Amino acid sequence: MLLLPGERTIRTAYAVLGAEFRPIGVRGPGVLYLTSQRLAFEAPASRGRVRDYLKGRDTELVVSRSLHEIVNATVRRGRIGRPWLVVHVPNGRVAFDVLEPEAWVGAIAQAKRVFAPPTSEVPTIIERQVVKIRCRYCGSLSNEVDGRCPNCGAAL
Ligand SMILES: [Zn+2]
């Protein structure tokens, strides 16, 4: 997978994308990536799709969701079979059959905390523009926020 500038890989594994989430012509097995920016799944495309649609590329980025988009990740345990990793996004979810889905849940949560904290936790920097005004009495410049002229004491 082609990484974006500044993006680094945190975790990768072979995974199978749930059948209901696959575009036509894309097979389920591929590679799941967790990076400092996103969760992505890259799969080999079928031969016809390579020729007609992908113009020679043999893999397709089927899923690419920024860490900010990911609401959370959970493990879905059915009555039979292996547990699945389920990644919830605002307009739905995607599910992967991957080894150690609990470890992926932990890694995704940590990546969100480290690389994509909720905006309410980001300190807000309030920049205040200081306006200089000239005193009507003595003509010296002072900050508007001062309220009084530092030179002669007149109200501004
Ligand atoms: Zn003054």
Side-chain angles (χ1 to χ4, degrees):
M1 187 178 74
L2 195 63
L3 295 179
L4 302 168
E7 183 176 24
R8 68 179 182 82
T9 302
I10 296 167
R11 195 181 177 94
T12 68
Y14 288 106
V16 178
L17 178 63
E20 66 269 44
F21 309 106
R22 285 175 214 160
I24 293 163
V26 172
R27 287 172 286 178
V31 180
L32 185 62
Y33 296 84
L34 176 64
T35 77
S36 55
Q37 297 186 12
R38 59 190 160 143
L39 186 81
F41 179 75
E42 193 175 52
S46 69
R47 214 178 270 185
R49 197 168 164 88
V50 170
R51 191 179 61 243
D52 299 335
Y53 177 73
L54 294 173
K55 298 182 169 58
R57 283 180 291 136
D58 59 355
T59 60
E60 181 169 358
L61 201 57
V62 183
V63 175
S64 181
R65 294 290 194 154
S66 78
L67 293 176
H68 285 287
E69 277 184 283
I70 295 170
V71 178
N72 70 335
T74 57
V75 177
R76 185 177 73 203
R77 289 168 209 283
R79 293 202 304 158
I80 53 163
R82 291 210 298 253
W84 283 59
L85 171 67
V86 183
V87 178
H88 303 264
V89 290
N91 57 350
R93 62 196 168 84
V94 282
F96 301 94
D97 182 6
V98 64
L99 284 176
E100 301 179 327
E102 295 88 355
W104 278 86
V105 166
I108 290 167
Q110 188 181 5
K112 276 184 65 69
R113 275 197 303 274
V114 173
F115 299 107
T119 45
S120 60
E121 289 179 17
V122 176
T124 308
I125 298 163
I126 299 168
E127 280 190 69
R128 184 159 192 172
Q129 192 175 9
V130 177
V131 177
K132 294 272 186 187
I133 56 171
R134 194 172 291 281
C135 175
R136 284 173 291 168
Y137 300 97
C138 72
S140 63
L141 287 172
S142 58
N143 296 334
E144 188 184 33
V145 293
D146 289 346
R148 284 196 173 276
C149 173
N151 185 48
C152 72
L156 297 173

